[in-house]
Amino acid sequence: MPARSILVATDFSAPSRRALEWARLLHARLNAAVMVVHVDTDPFVHTTLRDDAAKWETESERGRRLDWLKSELRTQIDDVFGPDAQAVRTLVVRGETAEQLTDLALERDADLLVVGASGKNAVDRLLLGSTTQELVQRSPIPVLTVH
């Protein structure tokens, strides 16, 4: 069954840009709807200071960062999708990346999740974890990993 709705994750890295390029190709070939998502991860999620750390960022600072992320997202989409960029929806959410993306895949009834893979070796994955690997294991829909 061809994908009708594609969810693309970006962290503004080179692999995620290649994921956007693949999404553009799939959009052109399948006329699939595309939503590009950036997950703004909480840098204090794995610390005992988490509750206190949330107070370090003011509402104004959070708003400026969100505006900047949305602007960067739109710039990257305009660059990759060209004239088709207006058809691409965007979303910036905060949370844990794999959890947010799998939840969004279900909520948005996506058929395919496209993500960039950094190509870390086995030792790096063992020590640092791999969001892409976690997505492949957790995702309720097929995941296209782009290296």
Side-chain angles (χ1 to χ4, degrees), residues 5-127:
S5 177
I6 300 169
L7 187 64
V8 187
T10 184
D11 61 3
F12 307 112
S13 65
S16 67
R17 183 177 175 89
R18 289 188 293 274
L20 276 175
E21 291 166 354
W22 272 92
R24 179 185 51 81
L25 293 171
L26 291 167
H27 166 74
R29 174 152 299 195
L30 302 173
N31 197 28
V34 176
M35 173 176 273
V36 181
V37 178
H38 173 76
V39 179
D40 183 23
T41 56
D42 183 351
F44 302 105
V45 72
H46 297 296
T47 178
T48 55
L49 301 174
R50 182 175 185 197
D51 292 334
D52 290 333
K55 299 173 193 167
W56 296 347
E57 181 181 51
T58 68
E59 196 65 37
S60 175
E61 290 169 332
R62 197 170 307 131
R64 281 193 304 273
R65 189 184 71 252
L66 184 60
D67 290 344
W68 180 84
L69 288 169
K70 289 177 180 178
S71 175
E72 285 296 306
L73 192 57
R74 184 47 60 189
T75 298
Q76 194 172 62
I77 291 167
D78 290 346
D79 188 41
V80 171
F81 280 80
D84 290 336
Q86 294 306 314
V88 177
R89 293 177 292 152
T90 63
L91 184 62
V92 176
V93 296
R94 186 157 197 179
E96 191 274 319
T97 304
E99 180 182 327
Q100 290 293 325
L101 291 172
T102 53
D103 288 350
L104 282 168
L106 289 171
E107 289 171 17
R108 304 295 172 131
D109 199 26
D111 298 309
L112 179 66
L113 176 58
V114 183
V115 296
S118 63
K120 292 179 181 167
N121 63 36
V123 174
D124 290 338
R125 281 195 306 270
L126 180 63
L127 296 174

